[in-house]
Amino acid sequence: MQVGKVVGSIVSTQKHESLKGMKLMMVDILDGEQGLTGGRIEIAVDTVCAGVGEYVLLTRGSSARHIFENDKGTAVDCAIVGIVDSFEK
């Protein structure tokens, strides 16, 4: 898993059938020092109602697809699976 900050949302009227009804968010990935990479933006399906400005947990690949009931044919490679309340080092 990775941590990122939601920096925007995506609106798409034309998309694959498996993405209909899903909220797409733009997430800036954090580096090891909790700093934003400022250019490594990922598009993730939001499963936890995250908002712009929130830090989130991301999962990828088959782990992201398994969140959905029928992962066969689901066009998801990155999903938001949690909202970070705080960081502690």
Side-chain angles (χ1 to χ4, degrees), residues 12 39-40 81:
S12 174
R40 186 159 172 233
V81 295

Side-chain angles (χ1 to χ4, degrees), residues 11-41:
V11 176
S12 174
T13 57
Q14 299 295 316
K15 54 190 163 192
H16 189 269
E17 185 70 29
S18 67
L19 294 175
K20 290 193 176 175
M22 293 188 186
K23 182 176 159 191
L24 302 175
M25 304 300 280
M26 297 170 57
V27 181
D28 192 355
I29 305 302
L30 269 65
D31 64 17
E33 299 299 317
Q34 294 181 0
L36 297 174
T37 59
R40 186 159 172 233
I41 303 295

Side-chain angles (χ1 to χ4, degrees), residues 7 9 16 21 25 43 64-65 82 89:
V7 294
S9 62
H16 189 269
M25 304 300 280
I43 306 303
R65 285 186 295 280
K89 224 176 172 181

Side-chain angles (χ1 to χ4, degrees), residues 78-89:
C78 187
I80 298 172
V81 295
I83 298 174
V84 176
D85 294 318
S86 65
F87 292 98
E88 185 175 325
K89 224 176 172 181

